[in-house]
Amino acid sequence: MPRIRWRARRIASQIKHCVSMRVSYYKLVYSTFCYNSFMSWNLVVDTLTEPMFWLVDRVAKYLGPIMVVLVVMLITSVVVIFYTCLLPHLYNNRSLLTTVTMVIAGHWLLVNIVFHYFMAAFTDPGMPLQEIPEVVSICKKCIAPKPPRTHHCSICDRCILKMDHHCPWLNNCVGHFNHRYFFLFLFYLWMGTIYVSTNGYQLFKEHFYGMKNSPTYVFATTQFFYGYAPATKHRRLQVNGTYGRYESETIGQVYDHPEGSWYHHAVLYEFLICAAVAFALGALMLWHGRLVTRGETSIEIHINKKERKRLKKEGSSL
């Protein structure tokens, strides 16, 4: 009986040894064909996403001029509507001194928006010199000296000093020499959208919701795509000391502007686009303001975050 148990244990150990040898053999064969000392999960992810990045780079390169034209058209449309719709409304409802002050402030914002956009779009962000006495590293894509805080832009196909990102709305990289213009363009454009939204809110509310006449409520059944909206007046009837149902009465048209429905559309377009851009630009400006106060770029914040995690594991700090 003890002899039979010994043989059973021996067979089990032999099977285990045979399986482990086979596994080791297949691992060796796999390593022979696929071994790479530089292999990591980051490299695998970069390799798998390379086609997507290639497509984005090609699309962004050709969409850049279109995006610049779109920005110019949007700003021009807002300015034209402000002159034709909002400015007469301000003149008719506010004092002459207030109107003049608002016009001066609006032109000051417009000049700063145009100037900083032009400078951010057409100022070279900066590229490293080809001859540097002390070369720290070489860019593997353009085979040129790569100083610290320099990154290669695949859309511009060159290295950019202190690169933050490639902005399709500028059709240019944001780097060392135009980062200031880019941030100030965000700031003044955000101020401009707040300026237009606050001055056009009352006119927008009248065209979107309809007028309110006291003591009765007027609920405008405003049709968004038409300039003339019929309004219904609702009176709440009082029966036996208690309020009952509403009595409806059509009171005509809320808007009867001589220019027609285009005025209605222009007012709605002006406020909605400025309000939406104000929220988006506000968030983007806060993000870049935080980066500026920390002395980082959009690329460096991710690199520094990974480096802090690595040093934290090693017991150091950055």
Side-chain angles (χ1 to χ4, degrees):
M1 194 66 181
R3 186 176 182 181
I4 294 176
R5 289 180 179 177
W6 178 78
R7 286 185 176 181
R9 292 177 180 175
R10 185 177 179 182
I11 291 173
S13 63
Q14 287 179 350
I15 293 175
K16 182 179 179 181
H17 178 70
C18 181
V19 171
S20 62
M21 289 295 293
R22 282 292 176 183
V23 171
S24 300
Y25 171 75
Y26 288 123
K27 285 184 178 180
L28 181 61
V29 173
Y30 174 78
S31 299
T32 302
F33 288 101
C34 305
Y35 177 75
N36 187 347
S37 60
F38 298 101
M39 179 64 69
S40 64
W41 283 109
N42 292 332
L43 182 60
V44 172
V45 173
D46 290 342
T47 304
L48 294 177
T49 56
E50 186 67 26
M52 182 182 66
F53 289 136
W54 180 87
L55 180 62
V56 171
D57 292 343
R58 296 302 180 274
V59 172
K61 183 176 181 179
Y62 293 107
L63 282 182
I66 300 176
M67 303 292 274
V68 172
V69 173
L70 182 61
V71 170
V72 174
M73 291 177 62
L74 288 175
I75 295 177
T76 304
S77 66
V78 170
V79 173
V80 171
I81 294 174
F82 181 85
Y83 276 112
T84 57
C85 300
L86 296 187
L87 188 58
H89 177 76
L90 293 176
Y91 179 76
N92 293 329
N93 293 274
R94 299 184 183 181
S95 64
L96 180 61
L97 180 60
T98 303
T99 304
V100 172
T101 304
M102 299 301 292
V103 169
I104 293 175
H107 282 82
W108 178 75
L109 289 173
L110 179 61
V111 169
N112 279 281
I113 290 171
V114 174
F115 172 77
H116 288 101
Y117 181 77
F118 179 84
M119 294 300 294
F122 295 100
T123 299
D124 193 296
M127 59 182 301
L129 300 175
Q130 296 300 318
E131 297 180 0
I132 300 178
E134 298 180 2
V135 179
V136 178
S137 61
I138 299 295
C139 178
K140 62 181 181 181
K141 295 184 178 180
C142 56
I143 316 299
K146 187 178 180 181
R149 308 188 72 180
T150 301
H151 301 279
H152 187 87
C153 177
S154 55
I155 300 176
C156 298
D157 195 22
R158 60 170 182 167
C159 286
I160 304 297
L161 291 174
K162 196 183 174 183
M163 178 180 174
D164 187 88
H165 68 286
H166 183 91
C167 182
W169 300 101
L170 300 175
N171 193 30
N172 194 11
C173 275
V174 177
H176 179 70
F177 292 108
N178 64 345
H179 197 176
R180 170 178 175 267
Y181 299 119
F182 168 75
F183 183 78
L184 289 177
F185 167 70
L186 292 182
F187 174 75
Y188 286 113
L189 186 60
W190 177 74
M191 290 289 292
T193 55
I194 295 295
Y195 169 83
V196 175
S197 299
T198 53
N199 285 288
Y201 176 70
Q202 186 62 36
L203 187 61
F204 164 79
K205 188 168 64 172
E206 294 175 3
H207 278 257
F208 191 81
Y209 295 106
M211 304 295 293
K212 288 188 176 180
N213 298 332
S214 181
T216 59
Y217 295 101
V218 177
F219 299 98
T221 57
T222 308
Q223 299 181 19
F224 187 83
F225 297 102
Y226 298 95
Y228 302 100
T232 304
K233 180 168 60 179
H234 300 265
R235 283 192 179 90
R236 199 171 190 183
L237 300 180
Q238 188 174 7
V239 181
N240 296 328
T242 59
Y243 287 100
R245 62 182 178 83
Y246 284 98
E247 182 185 39
S248 300
E249 176 189 358
T250 302
I251 61 174
Q253 294 179 340
V254 176
Y255 310 118
D256 191 14
H257 205 277
E259 282 80 357
S261 63
W262 75 266
Y263 186 90
H264 173 77
H265 295 156
V267 171
L268 298 181
Y269 165 81
E270 180 93 342
F271 179 83
L272 292 177
I273 194 172
C274 287
V277 172
F279 280 107
L281 277 182
L284 184 63
M285 187 180 62
L286 289 176
W287 165 256
H288 281 280
R290 177 173 176 266
L291 295 179
V292 170
T293 57
R294 299 179 59 172
E296 295 177 324
T297 63
S298 299
I299 298 176
E300 292 172 350
I301 189 173
H302 298 290
I303 297 176
N304 294 340
K305 184 178 180 180
K306 292 174 61 176
E307 190 66 15
R308 280 192 292 267
K309 288 183 178 179
R310 184 185 67 82
L311 293 176
K312 188 176 181 180
K313 291 181 180 179
E314 296 178 0
S316 302
S317 60
L318 180 60

Coordinates of all heavy atoms in Angstrom, one line a residue, residues 192-261:
G192 N -15.9 89.9 -24.4 CA -16.7 90.4 -25.4 C -18.1 89.7 -25.5 O -19.1 90.3 -25.6
T193 N -18.0 88.3 -25.3 CA -19.3 87.6 -25.2 C -20.1 87.9 -24.0 O -21.4 88.0 -24.1 CB -19.0 86.1 -25.2 OG1 -18.1 85.7 -24.2 CG2 -18.3 85.6 -26.6
I194 N -19.5 88.2 -22.9 CA -20.2 88.6 -21.7 C -20.8 90.0 -21.9 O -22.0 90.2 -21.6 CB -19.3 88.6 -20.5 CG1 -18.8 87.2 -20.1 CG2 -20.0 89.3 -19.3 CD1 -19.9 86.3 -19.7
Y195 N -20.1 90.8 -22.6 CA -20.6 92.2 -22.9 C -21.8 92.2 -23.8 O -22.8 92.8 -23.5 CB -19.4 93.0 -23.6 CG -19.8 94.3 -24.2 CD1 -19.9 95.5 -23.4 CD2 -20.1 94.4 -25.5 CE1 -20.3 96.7 -23.9 CE2 -20.5 95.6 -26.1 CZ -20.6 96.7 -25.3 OH -20.9 97.9 -25.9
V196 N -21.8 91.4 -24.9 CA -22.9 91.3 -25.8 C -24.1 90.6 -25.1 O -25.2 91.0 -25.3 CB -22.5 90.6 -27.1 CG1 -23.7 90.4 -28.0 CG2 -21.4 91.4 -27.8
S197 N -23.8 89.5 -24.3 CA -24.9 88.8 -23.7 C -25.7 89.6 -22.7 O -26.9 89.6 -22.7 CB -24.4 87.5 -23.0 OG -23.7 86.7 -24.0
T198 N -25.0 90.4 -21.9 CA -25.6 91.2 -20.9 C -26.4 92.4 -21.5 O -27.5 92.7 -21.0 CB -24.6 91.8 -19.9 OG1 -23.5 92.5 -20.6 CG2 -24.0 90.7 -19.0
N199 N -25.9 93.0 -22.6 CA -26.6 94.1 -23.2 C -27.7 93.6 -24.1 O -28.7 94.4 -24.3 CB -25.6 94.9 -24.1 CG -24.7 95.8 -23.2 OD1 -25.1 96.8 -22.7 ND2 -23.4 95.4 -23.2
G200 N -27.7 92.4 -24.6 CA -28.8 91.9 -25.4 C -29.7 91.0 -24.7 O -30.7 90.5 -25.4
Y201 N -29.6 90.8 -23.4 CA -30.5 89.8 -22.7 C -31.9 90.3 -22.7 O -32.8 89.5 -22.9 CB -30.0 89.6 -21.3 CG -30.9 88.7 -20.5 CD1 -31.0 87.4 -20.8 CD2 -31.7 89.3 -19.5 CE1 -31.9 86.5 -20.1 CE2 -32.5 88.4 -18.7 CZ -32.6 87.1 -19.0 OH -33.5 86.3 -18.3
Q202 N -32.1 91.6 -22.4 CA -33.5 92.1 -22.3 C -34.2 92.0 -23.7 O -35.4 91.6 -23.8 CB -33.5 93.6 -21.9 CG -34.9 94.2 -21.6 CD -35.6 93.5 -20.5 OE1 -35.0 93.0 -19.5 NE2 -36.9 93.3 -20.7
L203 N -33.5 92.4 -24.8 CA -34.1 92.3 -26.1 C -34.4 90.8 -26.5 O -35.4 90.4 -27.1 CB -33.2 92.9 -27.1 CG -33.8 93.1 -28.5 CD1 -35.0 93.9 -28.6 CD2 -32.7 93.7 -29.5
F204 N -33.4 89.9 -26.1 CA -33.6 88.5 -26.3 C -34.8 87.9 -25.6 O -35.6 87.2 -26.1 CB -32.3 87.7 -25.9 CG -32.5 86.3 -25.8 CD1 -32.5 85.4 -26.9 CD2 -32.7 85.7 -24.5 CE1 -32.7 84.1 -26.8 CE2 -32.9 84.3 -24.4 CZ -32.9 83.5 -25.5
K205 N -35.0 88.3 -24.3 CA -36.1 87.9 -23.5 C -37.4 88.3 -24.1 O -38.4 87.5 -24.1 CB -35.9 88.4 -22.1 CG -36.9 87.8 -21.1 CD -36.5 88.1 -19.7 CE -36.6 89.6 -19.4 NZ -36.4 89.9 -18.0
E206 N -37.5 89.5 -24.6 CA -38.7 90.0 -25.3 C -39.1 89.2 -26.5 O -40.2 88.9 -26.8 CB -38.6 91.4 -25.6 CG -38.5 92.4 -24.4 CD -38.2 93.8 -24.8 OE1 -38.2 94.1 -26.0 OE2 -38.1 94.7 -23.9
H207 N -38.0 88.8 -27.3 CA -38.3 88.1 -28.5 C -38.5 86.6 -28.3 O -39.1 85.9 -29.1 CB -37.1 88.3 -29.5 CG -37.2 89.5 -30.3 ND1 -37.7 89.6 -31.6 CD2 -37.0 90.8 -29.9 CE1 -37.7 90.9 -32.0 NE2 -37.3 91.6 -31.0
F208 N -37.9 86.0 -27.2 CA -38.0 84.6 -27.0 C -39.2 84.2 -26.2 O -39.9 83.3 -26.5 CB -36.7 84.1 -26.3 CG -36.6 82.6 -26.2 CD1 -36.1 81.9 -27.3 CD2 -37.0 81.9 -25.1 CE1 -36.0 80.6 -27.3 CE2 -36.9 80.5 -25.1 CZ -36.4 79.9 -26.2
Y209 N -39.5 85.0 -25.1 CA -40.7 84.7 -24.2 C -41.9 85.5 -24.5 O -43.0 85.2 -24.2 CB -40.3 84.9 -22.8 CG -39.2 84.0 -22.3 CD1 -37.9 84.4 -22.1 CD2 -39.5 82.6 -22.1 CE1 -36.9 83.6 -21.7 CE2 -38.5 81.8 -21.6 CZ -37.2 82.3 -21.4 OH -36.2 81.4 -21.0
G210 N -41.7 86.7 -25.1 CA -42.8 87.6 -25.3 C -42.9 88.7 -24.2 O -42.3 88.5 -23.2
M211 N -43.7 89.7 -24.4 CA -43.9 90.8 -23.5 C -44.7 90.3 -22.3 O -45.6 89.5 -22.4 CB -44.5 92.0 -24.1 CG -43.7 92.5 -25.3 SD -42.0 93.1 -24.9 CE -42.5 94.5 -23.9
K212 N -44.6 90.9 -21.1 CA -45.4 90.7 -20.0 C -46.1 92.0 -19.6 O -45.4 93.0 -19.2 CB -44.6 90.2 -18.8 CG -44.1 88.8 -19.0 CD -43.4 88.2 -17.7 CE -43.0 86.8 -17.9 NZ -42.4 86.3 -16.7
N213 N -47.4 92.0 -19.6 CA -48.2 93.2 -19.3 C -48.8 93.0 -17.9 O -49.5 92.0 -17.7 CB -49.2 93.5 -20.3 CG -48.6 93.7 -21.7 OD1 -47.5 94.2 -21.8 ND2 -49.4 93.4 -22.8
S214 N -48.7 93.9 -17.1 CA -49.3 93.8 -15.8 C -50.7 94.5 -15.8 O -50.8 95.5 -16.5 CB -48.4 94.5 -14.7 OG -49.0 94.5 -13.4
P215 N -51.7 94.1 -15.1 CA -51.7 93.0 -14.1 C -51.9 91.6 -14.6 O -52.0 90.7 -13.8 CB -52.8 93.4 -13.1 CG -53.8 94.0 -14.0 CD -53.0 94.7 -15.1
T216 N -52.2 91.5 -15.9 CA -52.5 90.2 -16.4 C -51.2 89.6 -17.0 O -50.3 90.3 -17.4 CB -53.5 90.3 -17.6 OG1 -53.0 91.1 -18.6 CG2 -54.8 90.8 -17.0
Y217 N -51.1 88.3 -17.0 CA -50.0 87.6 -17.5 C -50.1 87.4 -19.0 O -51.2 87.1 -19.5 CB -49.8 86.2 -16.9 CG -49.5 86.3 -15.4 CD1 -50.5 86.1 -14.5 CD2 -48.2 86.6 -15.0 CE1 -50.2 86.1 -13.1 CE2 -48.0 86.7 -13.6 CZ -49.0 86.4 -12.7 OH -48.7 86.5 -11.4
V218 N -49.0 87.6 -19.8 CA -49.1 87.3 -21.2 C -48.0 86.3 -21.5 O -46.8 86.5 -21.3 CB -48.7 88.6 -22.0 CG1 -48.7 88.3 -23.5 CG2 -49.7 89.7 -21.7
F219 N -48.5 85.1 -21.9 CA -47.6 84.0 -22.3 C -47.6 83.9 -23.8 O -48.5 83.6 -24.4 CB -48.2 82.7 -21.7 CG -48.3 82.6 -20.2 CD1 -49.5 82.9 -19.6 CD2 -47.1 82.4 -19.5 CE1 -49.6 82.9 -18.2 CE2 -47.2 82.4 -18.1 CZ -48.4 82.6 -17.5
A220 N -46.4 84.3 -24.3 CA -46.3 84.3 -25.8 C -46.1 82.9 -26.3 O -45.1 82.2 -25.9 CB -45.1 85.2 -26.2
T221 N -46.9 82.4 -27.2 CA -46.7 81.1 -27.8 C -45.8 81.3 -29.0 O -46.1 81.2 -30.2 CB -48.1 80.6 -28.3 OG1 -48.6 81.5 -29.2 CG2 -49.0 80.3 -27.2
T222 N -44.5 81.7 -28.6 CA -43.5 82.1 -29.6 C -43.1 80.9 -30.4 O -42.7 79.9 -29.9 CB -42.3 82.8 -28.9 OG1 -42.8 83.8 -28.0 CG2 -41.4 83.3 -29.9
Q223 N -43.2 81.1 -31.7 CA -42.6 80.1 -32.6 C -41.2 80.5 -32.9 O -41.0 81.6 -33.5 CB -43.5 79.9 -33.8 CG -44.9 79.4 -33.5 CD -45.7 79.3 -34.8 OE1 -45.1 79.1 -35.9 NE2 -47.0 79.2 -34.6
F224 N -40.3 79.6 -32.6 CA -38.9 80.0 -32.7 C -38.5 80.5 -34.1 O -37.6 81.4 -34.3 CB -38.0 78.9 -32.2 CG -36.5 79.2 -32.1 CD1 -36.1 79.8 -31.0 CD2 -35.7 78.9 -33.1 CE1 -34.7 80.1 -30.8 CE2 -34.3 79.2 -33.0 CZ -33.9 79.8 -31.9
F225 N -39.0 79.9 -35.1 CA -38.6 80.2 -36.5 C -39.4 81.3 -37.2 O -39.2 81.5 -38.3 CB -38.7 78.9 -37.3 CG -37.8 77.8 -36.8 CD1 -38.2 76.8 -36.1 CD2 -36.4 77.9 -37.0 CE1 -37.4 75.8 -35.6 CE2 -35.5 76.9 -36.6 CZ -36.1 75.8 -35.8
Y226 N -40.2 82.0 -36.4 CA -41.0 83.1 -37.0 C -40.9 84.3 -36.2 O -40.8 84.3 -35.0 CB -42.5 82.7 -37.1 CG -42.7 81.5 -38.0 CD1 -42.8 80.2 -37.5 CD2 -42.8 81.6 -39.4 CE1 -42.9 79.1 -38.3 CE2 -42.9 80.5 -40.2 CZ -43.0 79.3 -39.7 OH -43.2 78.2 -40.5
G227 N -40.9 85.4 -36.9 CA -40.7 86.7 -36.2 C -42.0 87.2 -35.6 O -41.9 88.0 -34.7
Y228 N -43.1 86.8 -36.0 CA -44.4 87.2 -35.5 C -45.0 86.1 -34.7 O -45.3 85.1 -35.2 CB -45.3 87.7 -36.6 CG -44.8 88.7 -37.5 CD1 -44.2 88.4 -38.7 CD2 -44.7 90.0 -37.1 CE1 -43.6 89.4 -39.5 CE2 -44.1 91.0 -37.9 CZ -43.6 90.7 -39.1 OH -43.0 91.6 -39.9
A229 N -45.3 86.4 -33.4 CA -45.8 85.3 -32.5 C -47.1 85.8 -31.9 O -47.1 86.8 -31.2 CB -44.8 85.0 -31.4
P230 N -48.2 85.1 -32.1 CA -49.4 85.4 -31.4 C -49.3 85.2 -29.9 O -48.6 84.2 -29.5 CB -50.4 84.5 -32.0 CG -49.7 83.3 -32.5 CD -48.3 83.9 -32.9
A231 N -49.9 86.1 -29.1 CA -49.8 85.9 -27.6 C -51.2 85.7 -27.1 O -52.2 86.2 -27.6 CB -49.2 87.2 -27.0
T232 N -51.2 85.0 -26.0 CA -52.5 84.7 -25.3 C -52.5 85.2 -23.9 O -51.5 85.0 -23.2 CB -52.7 83.1 -25.2 OG1 -52.7 82.6 -26.6 CG2 -54.1 82.9 -24.6
K233 N -53.5 86.0 -23.6 CA -53.6 86.6 -22.2 C -54.5 85.7 -21.4 O -55.6 85.3 -21.7 CB -54.2 88.0 -22.3 CG -54.3 88.7 -21.0 CD -54.6 90.2 -21.2 CE -55.9 90.4 -21.9 NZ -56.2 91.8 -22.1
H234 N -54.0 85.4 -20.2 CA -54.7 84.5 -19.3 C -55.1 85.3 -18.0 O -54.2 85.9 -17.3 CB -53.8 83.3 -18.9 CG -53.3 82.5 -20.0 ND1 -54.0 81.4 -20.4 CD2 -52.3 82.7 -20.9 CE1 -53.4 80.8 -21.5 NE2 -52.3 81.6 -21.8
R235 N -56.4 85.3 -17.7 CA -56.9 85.8 -16.5 C -57.4 84.7 -15.6 O -58.1 83.8 -16.1 CB -58.0 86.8 -16.8 CG -57.6 88.2 -17.3 CD -58.8 89.2 -17.2 NE -58.4 90.5 -17.7 CZ -58.4 90.9 -18.9 NH1 -58.9 90.0 -19.8 NH2 -58.1 92.1 -19.3
R236 N -57.1 84.7 -14.4 CA -57.6 83.7 -13.4 C -58.9 84.2 -12.8 O -58.9 85.2 -12.1 CB -56.5 83.4 -12.4 CG -56.7 82.1 -11.7 CD -55.6 81.8 -10.8 NE -55.7 80.4 -10.3 CZ -54.8 79.9 -9.4 NH1 -53.8 80.6 -9.0 NH2 -54.9 78.6 -9.0
L237 N -59.9 83.5 -13.0 CA -61.2 83.9 -12.6 C -61.4 83.5 -11.1 O -60.9 82.5 -10.6 CB -62.3 83.1 -13.4 CG -62.3 83.4 -14.9 CD1 -63.4 82.7 -15.6 CD2 -62.4 84.9 -15.2
Q238 N -62.1 84.4 -10.4 CA -62.4 84.2 -9.0 C -63.9 83.9 -8.8 O -64.8 84.7 -9.1 CB -62.0 85.4 -8.2 CG -62.1 85.2 -6.7 CD -61.6 86.4 -5.9 OE1 -61.3 87.4 -6.5 NE2 -61.5 86.3 -4.6
V239 N -64.2 82.7 -8.3 CA -65.6 82.2 -8.2 C -65.8 81.8 -6.7 O -65.0 81.0 -6.2 CB -65.9 81.0 -9.1 CG1 -67.3 80.6 -8.9 CG2 -65.6 81.4 -10.5
N240 N -66.8 82.5 -6.0 CA -67.1 82.2 -4.6 C -65.9 82.4 -3.7 O -65.6 81.6 -2.8 CB -67.7 80.8 -4.4 CG -69.0 80.7 -5.2 OD1 -69.8 81.6 -5.3 ND2 -69.3 79.5 -5.7
G241 N -65.1 83.4 -4.0 CA -63.9 83.7 -3.1 C -62.7 82.9 -3.4 O -61.7 83.0 -2.7
T242 N -62.8 81.9 -4.3 CA -61.6 81.1 -4.6 C -61.3 81.2 -6.0 O -62.1 81.5 -6.9 CB -61.9 79.6 -4.3 OG1 -63.1 79.2 -5.1 CG2 -62.3 79.4 -2.8
Y243 N -60.0 81.0 -6.3 CA -59.5 81.1 -7.7 C -59.8 79.8 -8.5 O -59.5 78.7 -8.0 CB -58.0 81.4 -7.7 CG -57.7 82.9 -7.3 CD1 -57.2 83.1 -6.0 CD2 -57.8 83.9 -8.2 CE1 -57.0 84.4 -5.6 CE2 -57.6 85.2 -7.8 CZ -57.1 85.5 -6.5 OH -56.9 86.7 -6.2
G244 N -60.3 80.0 -9.6 CA -60.6 78.8 -10.4 C -59.8 78.8 -11.7 O -58.6 79.0 -11.7
R245 N -60.4 78.5 -12.8 CA -59.7 78.2 -14.0 C -59.2 79.5 -14.6 O -59.6 80.6 -14.2 CB -60.6 77.5 -15.0 CG -61.8 78.3 -15.4 CD -62.7 77.6 -16.4 NE -63.9 78.3 -16.7 CZ -64.0 79.3 -17.7 NH1 -62.9 79.6 -18.4 NH2 -65.1 79.9 -17.9
Y246 N -58.3 79.4 -15.7 CA -57.8 80.5 -16.4 C -58.8 80.8 -17.6 O -59.3 79.9 -18.2 CB -56.4 80.3 -16.9 CG -55.4 80.4 -15.9 CD1 -54.8 79.3 -15.3 CD2 -54.8 81.6 -15.5 CE1 -53.9 79.4 -14.3 CE2 -53.9 81.7 -14.6 CZ -53.4 80.6 -14.0 OH -52.4 80.7 -13.0
E247 N -59.0 82.1 -17.9 CA -59.7 82.5 -19.1 C -58.7 83.0 -20.1 O -57.9 83.9 -19.8 CB -60.7 83.6 -18.7 CG -61.6 84.0 -19.9 CD -62.5 85.1 -19.6 OE1 -62.0 86.0 -18.8 OE2 -63.6 85.2 -20.1
S248 N -58.8 82.4 -21.3 CA -57.8 82.8 -22.3 C -58.4 83.8 -23.3 O -59.6 83.7 -23.6 CB -57.3 81.5 -23.1 OG -56.7 80.6 -22.2
E249 N -57.5 84.6 -23.8 CA -58.0 85.6 -24.7 C -56.8 86.0 -25.6 O -55.7 86.4 -25.1 CB -58.5 86.9 -24.0 CG -58.8 88.0 -25.0 CD -59.2 89.3 -24.3 OE1 -59.1 89.3 -23.0 OE2 -59.4 90.3 -24.9
T250 N -56.9 85.8 -26.9 CA -55.9 86.2 -27.8 C -55.8 87.7 -28.0 O -56.8 88.3 -28.3 CB -56.1 85.5 -29.2 OG1 -56.1 84.1 -29.0 CG2 -54.9 85.8 -30.1
I251 N -54.6 88.3 -27.8 CA -54.5 89.7 -27.8 C -53.7 90.2 -29.0 O -53.3 91.3 -29.0 CB -53.8 90.2 -26.5 CG1 -52.4 89.6 -26.4 CG2 -54.7 89.9 -25.3 CD1 -51.7 90.1 -25.2
G252 N -53.5 89.4 -30.0 CA -52.8 89.9 -31.2 C -51.4 89.4 -31.3 O -51.1 88.2 -30.9
Q253 N -50.6 90.1 -31.9 CA -49.2 89.8 -32.1 C -48.2 90.5 -31.2 O -48.4 91.7 -31.0 CB -48.8 90.0 -33.6 CG -49.6 89.1 -34.6 CD -49.2 89.4 -36.0 OE1 -48.7 90.5 -36.3 NE2 -49.5 88.5 -36.9
V254 N -47.3 89.8 -30.7 CA -46.3 90.4 -29.8 C -45.3 91.3 -30.6 O -45.0 92.4 -30.2 CB -45.5 89.3 -29.0 CG1 -44.5 90.0 -28.2 CG2 -46.5 88.5 -28.2
Y255 N -44.9 90.8 -31.7 CA -43.8 91.5 -32.5 C -44.4 92.0 -33.8 O -45.0 91.2 -34.5 CB -42.6 90.6 -32.7 CG -42.1 90.0 -31.4 CD1 -42.1 88.6 -31.3 CD2 -41.7 90.8 -30.4 CE1 -41.6 88.1 -30.1 CE2 -41.2 90.2 -29.2 CZ -41.2 88.9 -29.1 OH -40.8 88.3 -27.9
D256 N -44.2 93.2 -34.1 CA -44.6 93.7 -35.4 C -43.5 94.6 -35.9 O -43.7 95.8 -36.2 CB -45.9 94.4 -35.3 CG -46.5 94.7 -36.7 OD1 -46.0 94.2 -37.7 OD2 -47.4 95.6 -36.8
H257 N -42.2 94.1 -36.0 CA -41.1 94.9 -36.3 C -41.0 95.1 -37.9 O -41.3 94.2 -38.6 CB -39.8 94.2 -35.9 CG -38.6 95.2 -35.7 ND1 -37.9 95.6 -36.7 CD2 -38.2 95.8 -34.6 CE1 -36.9 96.4 -36.3 NE2 -37.1 96.6 -35.0
P258 N -40.8 96.3 -38.3 CA -40.8 96.6 -39.7 C -39.8 95.8 -40.6 O -40.0 95.6 -41.7 CB -40.6 98.1 -39.8 CG -39.9 98.4 -38.5 CD -40.5 97.5 -37.5
E259 N -38.7 95.4 -39.9 CA -37.7 94.7 -40.7 C -38.1 93.3 -41.0 O -37.4 92.6 -41.8 CB -36.3 94.7 -40.0 CG -35.6 96.0 -40.1 CD -36.1 97.1 -39.1 OE1 -37.1 96.8 -38.4 OE2 -35.5 98.2 -39.1
G260 N -39.1 92.7 -40.3 CA -39.5 91.4 -40.6 C -38.8 90.4 -39.7 O -38.3 90.7 -38.6
S261 N -38.9 89.1 -40.0 CA -38.5 88.0 -39.2 C -37.0 88.0 -39.0 O -36.5 87.3 -38.1 CB -39.0 86.7 -39.7 OG -38.4 86.4 -41.0

